[in-house]
Amino acid sequence: MPEIDLPALRADTRVAWVEDVLRFGDTDMNGHVNNAVFAALAESGRVNLFRTRLGDDERGETFWVIAKLTIEFKSELHYPGRVRTGTWIRHLGRTSLGLAQVMERDDGGLAAISEAVCVQMSHRTRRPEPFSEARREIAAGMLRPED
């Protein structure tokens, strides 16, 4: 992932943002938020993008699975606090989306970056399902490829 420009991401309408509250139970014996919680924050961002930006599958026959997830930790998170996760589409395939994410501390600093590949699956066949033209058009309008 290239150098992160948080102000540019905040201003870009193609980036979907969600805010999560850090809980005391998210912390570990070192006093910071456990690394596994970052995966849950990334999931919150992905689900938010799918739900609010890509719309429901008009046929109701598909669902999303995650095929790949990477997280690069940049700084600690502490309780109490909030985290904003920005998620955008970096790559549009036939049945999959390449997503990029940033996790921003409540002081505006970068906590982590994440990349994911998510595949649209058929409920009936349990196999990858090509995007409908409507979903492809929506996703193409949100595409923010790597510079």
Side-chain angles (χ1 to χ4, degrees):
M1 188 178 284
E3 185 67 28
I4 301 299
D5 183 351
L6 283 173
L9 289 172
R10 289 184 206 115
D12 193 330
T13 59
R14 296 171 294 181
V15 179
W17 290 91
V18 66
E19 184 174 281
D20 288 291
V21 174
L22 297 172
R23 302 164 303 181
F24 177 77
D26 293 335
T27 60
D28 62 18
M29 62 188 289
N30 296 316
H32 60 236
V33 170
N34 185 283
N35 59 29
V37 173
F38 285 77
L41 296 169
E43 177 185 52
S44 179
R46 291 189 310 274
V47 169
N48 176 63
L49 178 121
F50 295 148
R51 190 178 55 77
T52 65
R53 300 291 184 92
L54 289 178
D56 292 331
D57 173 14
E58 64 278 3
R59 300 164 297 175
E61 298 176 357
T62 62
F63 63 99
W64 294 99
V65 297
I66 187 160
K68 176 183 177 182
L69 175 65
T70 63
I71 300 171
E72 185 177 335
F73 302 97
K74 297 295 190 176
S75 66
E76 293 179 305
L77 291 174
H78 294 95
Y79 170 85
R82 297 179 180 275
V83 177
R84 283 179 22 107
T85 302
T87 306
W88 65 95
I89 299 171
R90 176 177 286 154
H91 174 77
L92 175 59
R94 188 177 73 83
T95 63
S96 66
L97 297 174
L99 303 177
Q101 298 180 287
V102 293
M103 291 163 219
E104 181 181 25
R105 298 186 314 256
D106 53 4
D107 68 0
L110 186 62
I113 58 176
S114 176
E115 295 181 1
V117 174
C118 294
V119 180
Q120 180 179 263
M121 303 286 284
S122 165
H123 278 293
R124 186 178 58 76
T125 66
R126 308 300 279 188
R127 303 286 304 153
E129 177 77 16
F131 297 127
S132 67
E133 285 305 313
R135 182 165 276 175
R136 178 169 293 287
E137 187 175 317
I138 292 168
M142 295 173 53
L143 192 60
R144 188 179 197 275
E146 189 171 337
D147 297 329

